[in-house]
Amino acid sequence: MAAFADSWLPRLVLAPTIIISLVFVYGFIAQTGWLSLTDSRMMPNYTLVGFHQYADLFGLDRWWVAATNLGIFGGLFIVFCLAIGLIMAIFLDQKIRGEGALRAIYLYPMALSFIVTGAAWKWILNPGLGLEKMMHDWGFAHFTFDWLVNSDFSIYTVVIAGVWQSSGFVMALFLAGLRGIDDSVIKAAQVDGASLPTIYRRIVIPALRPVFFSALLILAHIAIKSFDLVMALTAGGPGTSSDVPAIFMYQYSFSRGQLGLGAASAMMMLATVMAVLVPLMYLETKGARNGR
Amino acid sequence: MSNNKKSNGSTIHHDGSKLTVGRIAIYVLLVFCALYYLIPLYVMLSTSVKTLDEIRTGNLLSLPHSLTGAAWVKAWGHACTGVDCDGLAPYFWNSLRMAIPAVLISTLIGSLNGYVLAHWRFRGSEIVFTALMVGCFIPFQVVILPMARLLGMVNLSNTTPGLIFVHIVYGIAFTTLFFRNYYITVPEELVKAARIDGAGFFMTYRKIIFPLSLPIFMVCFIWQFTQIWNDFLFGVVFGGSDAKPVTVALNNLVNTSTGVTEYNVNMAAAIIAALPTLVVYLLAGKYFVRGLTAGAVKG
């Protein structure tokens, strides 16, 4: 009797979660996919019309601005976070006095909402009273920094704020990775007379490969989803110059009453996430199987 | 860097006792980095206690001449976030009313799920686990349209219970992952011994697993609280005007285009919106970092 209960109880406990995930993840993705194949506007309409929403989407300049911005933001955000995170982790790993305090300082932005980060940098980067005025006060009369209101550069302000928020987290990942490296390999290299930079280049950084994968995965994921940071910092402006797909999706679905087009853009976001994640996860599991 | 080879070579690290040019350079760079992370916080704090006149005459880094709490009072009680001018207070409470039940329920479900997936595996449970994990990765944009429709159909649109529901649904994948990865480190022998002694499914959980779970419960509470408190997308889509969380109110306040921009009020509001997660970070940073890295290990 008890054994019988023990065979179905675990399944029963897991059942609600399985149903929730089938309905709210897989079912909803299917529904959004379907919606993207209809000509739904203000109200959903479930008559299929084929791929014309996608054709419309790819015909919109604004979509291409958003997609290009995601490429610029995502690329720079990932590269800077990885570089800064790795350098800080290596330096912090040199038996530094006050390491705990420094680590805490590098990491606290991660506890903040992107909306808070956006609000803070919106104030710092505003051309009238922020950084620019401070530099003028300090005697750099010709210093200009108007990226926030300059449509050619507004997307780069998102990079600045995003890197500030997330690079400390990458540092924490790398530091954990560094602490996990087997000391005996490094000792052996030191006995052989390898210099510190060589040890890092040839042994330590290759050993951090799995951490690179994890960090890349998470940063790519943050970048593709990024919505709040852009909303708070530039709201996609000036004009639509710092638009990203997440904002495009939101505005077409909820302010412009173009549900079909919004759904199509959401499906493209999902496709982008999958295009990044699937190969990375495949490489990572393959790497793990081969003992890295 | 050359002195390293000569040091007794126990690790790649310097022995930390000698100050060389290289080490001074490392310290300078680390302190420089620390300033980069701290300055925005200083700017927020100092701006929030300045008057608007002082903001205009001074600059970002200048110290406030006289402290005034006026911006804080206004941000909390009567700043305009869109058409409403009640400050952040009502939305702060909305966030709290939303976060506490959502955190508790999603963590509890995650704990039971993780227990099953780690110690009561059945045929297909690995597939269930993998399928669940996909829920961690999807961009939520791809589910918000059907969710909006569903919440409308069950009359939960623009309500706090609706938001709680959404956060539980999309939080379970993460909490399950945390607990599963933690429970897998609990020796199988412990669970087997309990089962041989006649303890059933829930008894084993209560007597063996749950007492070992405090650290992972902490990690999960903090991770979920941070995620839910800081959420913006669900809040702006499903919060309507009454259940708006504090992040949405802050965004409306900061992006109000009418009148003079009151940077001091904006900064006070930003700190108010950040305060709960900052306090959690200061009090339980260890668990916060573990949550971050645990969430990262799975990718």
Side-chain angles (χ1 to χ4, degrees):
Chain A
M1 183 63 209
F4 178 67
D6 280 350
S7 76
W8 58 259
L9 262 178
R11 292 168 213 224
L12 197 69
V13 165
L14 212 52
T17 303
I18 296 174
I19 294 167
I20 281 175
S21 139
L22 281 177
V23 173
F24 293 98
V25 177
Y26 295 94
F28 277 12
I29 290 175
Q31 233 182 92
T32 304
W34 188 355
L35 204 60
S36 75
L37 301 174
T38 67
D39 63 352
S40 302
R41 291 189 185 278
M42 288 292 280
M43 297 306 269
N45 147 0
Y46 288 95
T47 326
L48 296 175
V49 296
F51 286 93
H52 100 160
Q53 299 287 10
Y54 291 89
D56 281 1
L57 187 69
F58 292 139
L60 275 176
D61 283 345
R62 188 170 162 190
W63 171 254
W64 289 110
V65 170
T68 313
N69 277 340
L70 176 59
I72 296 173
F73 166 64
L76 292 174
F77 171 72
I78 290 171
V79 167
F80 277 109
C81 281
L82 286 178
I84 295 174
L86 181 62
I87 291 170
M88 289 196 311
I90 288 178
F91 280 16
L92 258 193
D93 196 33
Q94 309 297 323
K95 294 215 170 118
I96 292 301
R97 241 165 268 152
E99 184 202 313
L102 285 169
R103 225 176 28 202
I105 290 169
Y106 298 162
L107 203 57
Y108 87 89
M110 201 65 193
L112 304 179
S113 157
F114 270 121
I115 296 293
V116 171
T117 302
W121 284 92
K122 192 186 174 84
W123 157 227
I124 294 171
L125 296 176
N126 91 73
L129 292 166
L131 193 66
E132 194 174 284
K133 177 164 186 294
M134 187 183 84
M135 295 305 276
H136 291 176
D137 284 2
W138 286 357
F140 302 93
H142 299 293
F143 180 89
T144 50
F145 193 76
D146 63 348
W147 287 8
L148 195 64
V149 294
N150 183 331
S151 49
D152 291 333
F153 292 104
S154 51
I155 190 66
Y156 298 99
T157 61
V158 185
V159 178
I160 295 174
V163 170
W164 179 80
Q165 163 116 9
S166 303
S167 47
F169 160 61
V170 181
M171 178 282 304
L173 284 183
F174 278 127
L175 195 59
L178 285 170
R179 298 279 150 91
I181 293 176
D182 185 3
D183 263 1
S184 59
V185 188
I186 291 156
K187 272 181 218 158
Q190 279 178 332
V191 171
D192 289 347
S195 70
L196 197 59
T198 311
I199 291 175
Y200 270 99
R201 211 178 56 242
R202 304 286 296 277
I203 299 172
V204 176
I205 292 177
L208 290 177
R209 211 177 102 118
V211 186
F212 268 105
F213 273 126
S214 300
L216 202 60
L217 222 57
I218 297 161
L219 291 172
H221 190 237
I222 295 176
I224 295 166
K225 289 203 307 189
S226 72
F227 171 65
D228 11 17
L229 182 62
V230 188
M231 278 301 258
L233 191 61
T234 65
T240 58
S241 61
S242 58
D243 214 359
V244 289
I247 292 195
F248 180 99
M249 188 274 160
Y250 176 76
Q251 288 188 341
Y252 275 83
S253 305
F254 298 103
S255 335
R256 292 180 167 223
Q258 300 257 26
L259 285 183
L261 200 63
S265 66
M267 292 306 285
M268 291 313 298
M269 289 180 66
L270 179 69
T272 316
V273 170
M274 290 304 153
V276 174
L277 292 190
V278 171
L280 274 179
M281 288 177 82
Y282 175 75
L283 280 174
E284 200 186 1
T285 47
K286 206 179 105 187
R289 257 204 310 277
N290 299 340
R292 279 162 202 165
Chain B
M1 303 259 163
S2 59
N3 78 326
N4 185 63
K5 261 186 292 179
K6 283 177 223 123
S7 72
N8 57 18
S10 60
T11 66
I12 50 169
H13 319 290
H14 294 267
D15 59 12
S17 59
K18 272 171 263 165
L19 271 184
T20 60
V21 177
R23 283 191 71 74
I24 291 170
I26 289 175
Y27 274 104
V28 167
L29 187 120
L30 287 174
V31 169
F32 181 79
C33 285
L35 287 178
Y36 163 67
Y37 292 103
L38 281 176
I39 283 172
L41 186 65
Y42 163 76
V43 168
M44 287 165 80
L45 272 170
S46 65
T47 305
S48 76
V49 294
K50 287 177 184 170
T51 61
L52 268 183
D53 275 340
E54 219 193 311
I55 289 172
R56 271 187 225 104
T57 51
N59 65 46
L60 274 183
L61 295 183
S62 54
L63 279 166
H65 290 302
S66 54
L67 305 184
T68 160
W72 283 77
V73 172
K74 186 166 183 190
W76 178 254
H78 50 270
C80 297
T81 56
V83 283
D84 304 312
C85 293
D86 307 319
L88 285 193
Y91 309 107
F92 187 92
W93 302 127
N94 279 348
S95 278
L96 213 57
R97 270 196 297 272
M98 163 184 87
I100 290 173
V103 169
L104 292 177
I105 296 170
S106 62
T107 304
L108 201 65
I109 297 175
S111 171
L112 286 169
N113 285 346
Y115 168 55
V116 172
L117 289 170
H119 290 291
W120 294 81
R121 270 171 268 176
F122 49 84
R123 204 146 51 88
S125 60
E126 283 302 302
I127 297 170
V128 170
F129 181 63
T130 312
L132 266 180
M133 285 318 100
V134 174
C136 299
F137 286 124
I138 58 162
F140 290 131
Q141 278 80 7
V142 83
V143 294
I144 51 181
L145 293 175
M147 184 54 106
R149 191 152 166 265
L150 179 97
L151 290 179
M153 286 190 324
V154 296
N155 278 326
L156 284 177
S157 295
N158 310 337
T159 66
T160 298
L163 276 175
I164 293 172
F165 175 75
V166 173
H167 281 298
I168 292 172
V169 163
Y170 296 109
I172 288 177
F174 273 108
T175 58
T176 301
L177 176 87
F178 283 143
F179 280 103
R180 186 257 188 196
N181 288 354
Y182 182 81
Y183 289 153
I184 223 134
T185 64
V186 174
E188 221 171 322
E189 291 73 34
L190 267 181
V191 178
K192 280 213 182 102
R195 278 159 84 171
I196 288 164
D197 288 350
F201 178 80
F202 283 113
M203 182 71 95
T204 311
Y205 179 76
R206 228 164 39 118
K207 293 274 159 105
I208 309 280
I209 300 287
F210 188 75
L212 293 171
S213 302
L214 185 66
I216 191 66
F217 265 101
M218 287 295 291
V219 167
C220 215
F221 281 143
I222 289 166
W223 168 269
Q224 283 295 90
F225 181 74
T226 313
Q227 292 300 305
I228 294 171
W229 186 273
N230 287 345
D231 162 73
F232 178 72
L233 179 64
F234 289 151
V236 77
V237 174
F238 305 127
S241 53
D242 295 334
K244 231 186 269 172
V246 72
T247 45
V248 178
L250 172 64
N251 183 57
N252 291 349
L253 174 69
V254 170
N255 283 319
T256 300
S257 48
T258 51
V260 187
T261 312
E262 296 178 291
Y263 291 106
N264 49 359
V265 177
N266 288 359
M267 289 304 104
I271 299 170
I272 290 171
L275 218 45
T277 53
L278 273 182
V279 168
V280 163
Y281 177 70
L282 287 176
L283 294 181
K286 185 175 72 175
Y287 296 106
F288 177 79
V289 177
R290 255 190 244 165
L292 282 180
T293 39
V297 167
K298 61 90 185 91

